[in-house]
Amino acid sequence: MNVNESLTLLLCSQTLSSDLLNIAQKVASSQRIREEDAVVLYEKAELGYLGVLANFIREKKNGNYVYFNRNFHIEPTNLCVFTCKFCSYSRLLKQAGDGWVLSKEQMLDIVKSYEDKPVTEVHVVGGVHPKLTLEFFIDIFQSIQKIRPDLHIKAFTAVEYEYMFRKAKVTISEGMKMLIDAGLKSIPGGGAEIFDETVRAEICGDKCTAEQWLEIHETAHNLGLKSNATILYGHIESFRHRVNHMERLRQLQDKTRGFNTFIPLKFRNGHNQMSQVKEVSTVEDLRNYAISRIYLDNFDHIKAYWPMIGRATAQLTLNFGVDDIDGTIDDTTKIYSMAGAEEQNPSLSTQELVHLIKQVGRHPIERDTLYNILQDYNDFEF
Ligand code: V47
Ligand code: SF4
């Protein structure tokens, strides 16, 4: 049965409650759903129903394609001035212990180690360290550009920018322009967590506010950069908080059209100050991906970050609205392994990624960071 037939069958169902039928009709006629509708979905909708709606939207926007890229991460430091309770990765400056700070040479050595490999993106993200200044990163980006001018530099969360620009006494726009001149090409989605002020105060009260996060992304969009957006879900937030978070993103996207993709990040409870909070089930993960796909009608892509949820769940998400599973990673990030994720050394070859996607009947496409198609792998022989 194709997506249209599944939706028609759902619309004819005698057992659907009137509110769920009404939401399904909106989706079928490409109407935007309201915040209250999304709350109803979270509270009442079964996984099968959500899958039909999310898959319908996903196939309308992206057909059968599943995007991935060839990337690696540089994590300059895990020492951080902030104290987010969910973070398993950071160490306070005064308790360095197993903390690290990479030198300029070490970062450039990482880039050089990819010299003859066909990677297209470097994702730079880490803790917030007072000695790693705006000036320092301008120099790093210029040096990366010299070594690999073809590499797309996607760097820093809004949290890192807010601190770096404040320390350098420049406005967001001034600081961003300086980094763009040095080679910055786009911005990842981290640091958004949950925008609701009460929950934010509870889990990460000392870092940039929701308003600052949104302002930084808006400024970047106005300067011509694309960015991503995330949500950290499945901890102490309510369904309404998740919907409110997506609503603020949907409004900004209406204004700027600068977001590429939305990435729901599942809270993992290993080795952090919120370890007593139970993780949500895989069913709840899939419901959340699907509702994100239904709600964010102005986002082209929904990404499942496989190092965080694992390969098997990443495959399942492809039937619940997801059309992107990030990249090869090459074991260059520690954020999720330190929080107890299944993938302790996240790395997938292109062949393995392609197999993962084809195994569930989808069409693998290698993209660059901005979703230009680089290679169609459907009929590719390795
Ligand atoms: O902001 C930290 C999250 C984010 C935990 O834009 C945790 O392409 C779950 O944003 N459990 C940083 N999540 C990573 C990030 C990201 C990752 C991949 C791709 C992109 C992209 C962005 O990691 C943080 C926070 O929300 N995080 N600790 C944890 N215990
Ligand atoms: Fe620092 Fe980011 Fe961890 Fe918060 S989530 S403590 S800002 S590294």
Side-chain angles (χ1 to χ4, degrees):
M1 205 185 306
N2 67 31
V3 284
N4 294 318
E5 290 163 347
S6 306
L7 185 59
T8 309
L9 204 67
L10 188 84
L11 290 168
C12 297
S13 162
Q14 302 291 319
T15 52
L16 267 191
S17 61
S18 60
D19 45 6
L20 289 180
L21 180 62
N22 182 263
I23 295 170
Q25 283 163 343
K26 284 187 185 174
V27 171
S29 57
S30 301
Q31 277 180 62
R32 178 168 272 193
I33 68 162
R34 296 173 303 124
E35 284 183 79
E36 284 311 312
D37 295 329
V39 175
V40 169
L41 291 181
Y42 274 120
E43 286 175 350
K44 288 174 62 170
E46 285 177 358
L47 187 59
Y49 164 98
L50 291 170
V52 171
L53 298 191
N55 214 15
F56 174 77
I57 299 169
R58 174 245 199 272
E59 295 208 2
K60 209 165 56 167
K61 284 185 183 287
N62 295 295
N64 201 25
Y65 284 1
V66 176
Y67 297 95
F68 68 93
N69 72 348
R70 296 205 247 191
N71 61 350
F72 65 98
H73 289 222
I74 296 179
E75 296 182 349
T77 183
N78 70 337
L79 299 185
C80 190
V81 296
F82 298 123
T83 56
C84 308
K85 287 188 188 159
F86 54 80
C87 183
S88 321
Y89 159 87
S90 69
R91 299 289 177 268
L92 285 170
L93 267 61
K94 54 181 184 290
Q95 304 172 329
D98 55 350
W100 70 82
V101 186
L102 300 184
S103 64
K104 175 181 172 184
E105 286 64 38
Q106 285 171 312
M107 288 187 231
L108 297 184
D109 281 347
I110 297 177
V111 177
K112 285 177 196 156
S113 72
Y114 287 90
E115 206 162 19
D116 48 4
K117 296 189 185 145
V119 287
T120 59
E121 174 191 283
V122 55
H123 180 161
V124 187
V125 72
V128 178
H129 192 297
K131 294 219 170 101
L132 303 185
T133 59
L134 174 60
E135 215 184 350
F136 175 75
F137 281 114
I138 287 174
D139 182 31
I140 299 278
F141 288 1
Q142 285 169 339
S143 306
I144 294 177
Q145 287 259 287
K146 277 195 196 122
I147 301 169
R148 277 292 291 266
D150 58 319
L151 210 55
H152 181 112
I153 303 175
K154 178 171 97 178
F156 302 137
T157 65
V159 177
E160 291 162 283
Y161 286 122
E162 189 279 321
Y163 183 86
M164 203 185 286
F165 296 160
R166 179 155 45 91
K167 288 280 280 189
K169 297 192 171 45
V170 295
T171 64
I172 300 170
S173 176
E174 287 164 351
M176 203 67 86
K177 279 183 191 156
M178 290 159 89
L179 287 168
I180 292 172
D181 286 345
L184 176 71
K185 296 281 189 315
S186 67
I187 298 182
E193 322 311 356
I194 283 282
F195 290 147
D196 175 82
E197 280 69 19
T198 323
V199 179
R200 200 169 179 88
E202 180 61 34
I203 65 171
C204 56
D206 55 358
K207 73 180 181 189
C208 84
T209 63
E211 272 184 21
Q212 287 171 324
W213 190 98
L214 290 162
E215 189 189 353
I216 287 167
H217 282 257
E218 182 169 358
T219 309
H221 297 170
N222 291 335
L223 291 171
L225 294 188
K226 292 285 184 183
S227 73
N228 292 335
T230 57
I231 182 172
L232 180 72
Y233 71 93
H235 43 90
I236 60 165
E237 89 288 2
S238 69
F239 291 145
R240 277 189 188 277
H241 295 137
R242 292 191 206 173
V243 177
N244 170 268
H245 187 93
M246 291 193 287
E247 173 57 22
R248 296 199 208 186
L249 290 172
R250 194 167 77 170
Q251 283 181 18
L252 180 54
Q253 180 74 330
D254 276 342
K255 238 166 124 178
T256 65
R257 297 277 155 180
F259 289 116
N260 265 335
T261 180
F262 181 63
I263 313 163
L265 294 171
K266 175 190 185 134
F267 165 68
R268 308 301 312 237
N269 68 5
H271 317 292
N272 57 46
Q273 293 173 67
M274 289 169 65
S275 290
Q276 79 289 356
V277 177
K278 286 207 165 55
E279 292 180 2
V280 297
S281 68
T282 304
V283 170
E284 188 54 27
D285 294 330
L286 298 176
R287 293 179 78 247
N288 191 59
Y289 281 109
I291 297 170
S292 310
R293 179 59 289 169
I294 297 165
Y295 196 76
L296 293 171
D297 60 342
N298 53 6
F299 276 64
D300 287 341
H301 305 285
I302 304 287
K303 183 194 282 190
Y305 189 54
W306 67 263
M308 187 232 340
I309 47 163
R311 300 161 203 216
T313 307
Q315 283 180 316
L316 282 173
T317 66
L318 301 180
N319 272 351
F320 292 88
V322 168
D323 63 280
D324 187 310
I325 53 172
D326 202 81
T328 43
I329 314 275
D330 205 20
D331 195 15
T332 48
T333 177
K334 292 273 164 276
I335 298 180
Y336 294 101
S337 50
M338 287 171 85
E342 292 80 4
E343 305 283 350
Q344 283 298 298
N345 298 98
S347 183
L348 280 175
S349 66
T350 307
Q351 191 169 0
E352 286 168 327
L353 258 176
V354 165
H355 176 67
L356 207 81
I357 296 166
K358 284 175 87 166
Q359 211 181 19
V360 291
R362 296 286 186 188
H363 187 136
I365 297 283
E366 184 191 349
R367 60 162 175 84
D368 66 9
T369 311
L370 303 176
Y371 289 85
N372 297 304
I373 295 180
L374 298 181
Q375 174 78 51
D376 184 334
Y377 275 97
N378 211 36
D379 301 314
F380 190 89
E381 297 293 334
F382 284 94

